[in-house]
Amino acid sequence: MSKDLAAILSDWPYDPDEVRARWIVAGSGRRQLQLRLDLGVFQMEAEGRPDGTRPRGHRSLVDYYIAEEERAADHALPHPLDAEACAELQQEVMQYYYRIMAFHALGEFTGVVEDTNHNLDLIDIVSQYAADDETAWQFTQLYAYMRMMNVRAQTELDAQAGRHAEAIRAAREAVADLEKFFAENYEPANEDGSPVPVPPELESVRELLAQLERRRPRSEAETLQEELARAVELENYEKAAFLRDQLKALQGLGA
């Protein structure tokens, strides 16, 4: 049997402007994910670690280190993460990063939420226990992207389920988290004194929040308030008085 991948790659061309992913059924009968990249195709498990392994008998390295924390008397790892441990974690964070890309391209938002949560936990572990700050920063700088992808997927699930208030709350929390992250880790101005542009991750989540606010279903009271404001602006005082009475009656029922 030929081991040449040319036939697979020619049937599924790479597009640098588009993330391409698909589901396939493996020889074992399990559904797996494929992600098309410039040099070939990644094939990943849909559950557990993307490469299908169980490091140290756990679902992932993150699960292993969380279990180690829970077993420790003071709930902290007894030793820092050395270069070898961080290299293993870097491999894992990239595996999940590629699967996040595939899940997002396929609209599998639950998978995006789960995998970004995994990587956020991984970043937190390394930031706490890495043996040196430079190694920790290699992971910490991934936080903004993972937080952005996490909230975009979560709000999509909330919106689909009609949980508009929850979606707006999640987006507001993400904006606050990212604002704090960039304030703590980046300078607010360039060397010449000019302001630093808004980071793309923060800008994306702010735009998401604005979209959610616009799409949020208005209550009857909010609709009356808006109509009342328009009536006053147009000096239609008779209509304004009627709307004001309607609003008071509605508020009285609410009380």
Side-chain angles (χ1 to χ4, degrees):
M1 183 179 68
S2 174
K3 297 181 180 179
D4 187 5
L5 298 177
I8 295 175
L9 300 181
S10 62
D11 289 341
W12 195 17
Y14 171 70
D15 184 349
D17 298 322
E18 178 184 352
V19 178
R20 296 192 172 183
R22 66 187 179 188
W23 289 103
I24 60 107
V25 178
S28 62
R30 297 193 314 279
R31 282 210 316 167
Q32 293 185 317
L33 284 160
Q34 286 186 342
L35 178 66
R36 182 67 166 96
L37 300 172
D38 53 348
L39 293 179
V41 174
F42 276 4
Q43 185 163 309
M44 300 166 281
E45 296 288 341
E47 298 180 357
R49 219 169 102 125
D51 63 1
T53 64
R54 289 183 58 83
R56 298 172 177 80
H58 288 75
R59 184 180 174 89
S60 69
L61 286 172
V62 166
D63 290 279
Y64 165 73
Y65 284 117
I66 289 175
E68 287 290 288
E69 282 185 321
E70 292 174 349
R71 278 195 291 267
D74 56 355
H75 297 292
L77 295 184
H79 50 75
L81 298 173
D82 59 18
E84 183 178 353
C86 288
E88 288 181 330
L89 287 163
Q90 189 169 43
Q91 180 187 37
E92 181 163 294
V93 80
M94 291 308 298
Q95 286 185 15
Y96 279 82
Y97 166 75
Y98 285 119
R99 192 166 69 184
I100 289 165
M101 291 174 60
F103 275 143
H104 188 266
L106 293 168
E108 297 285 347
F109 298 113
T110 299
V112 175
V113 170
E114 291 175 353
D115 282 0
T116 51
N117 279 333
H118 172 278
N119 274 358
L120 289 167
D121 287 342
L122 190 153
I123 291 166
D124 184 57
I125 289 169
V126 178
S127 67
Q128 288 187 64
Y129 299 111
D132 61 89
D133 292 341
E134 183 177 350
T135 300
W137 178 245
Q138 292 176 9
F139 291 81
T140 303
Q141 63 186 334
L142 300 174
Y143 171 84
Y145 175 82
M146 294 300 164
R147 188 70 179 91
M148 175 193 71
M149 293 297 290
N150 179 272
V151 74
R152 285 171 59 179
Q154 184 59 61
T155 55
E156 185 67 34
L157 292 172
D158 287 337
Q160 289 175 4
R163 299 188 297 265
H164 301 286
E166 288 85 346
I168 290 171
R169 188 180 306 113
R172 286 175 178 164
E173 289 176 357
V175 168
D177 289 346
L178 287 171
E179 287 176 343
K180 181 180 178 183
F181 173 77
F182 286 113
E184 291 177 348
N185 293 282
Y186 292 88
E187 294 295 332
N190 296 309
E191 292 183 0
D192 61 0
S194 61
V196 173
V198 177
E201 297 89 352
L202 177 55
E203 184 174 17
S204 174
V205 178
R206 283 175 174 170
E207 291 175 357
L208 171 66
L209 176 58
Q211 291 171 6
L212 291 169
E213 290 278 12
R214 288 194 297 268
R215 287 160 45 190
R216 178 176 64 87
R218 293 293 189 262
S219 67
E220 186 177 355
E222 289 174 318
T223 301
L224 286 172
Q225 287 276 18
E226 292 171 359
E227 292 181 4
L228 174 60
R230 283 196 295 271
V232 171
E233 183 180 0
L234 296 173
E235 298 183 356
N236 188 343
Y237 300 117
E238 183 177 352
K239 182 177 181 181
F242 170 77
L243 291 170
R244 189 176 295 109
D245 290 341
Q246 292 288 99
L247 184 60
K248 287 180 179 179
L250 184 62
Q251 291 171 340
L253 287 173

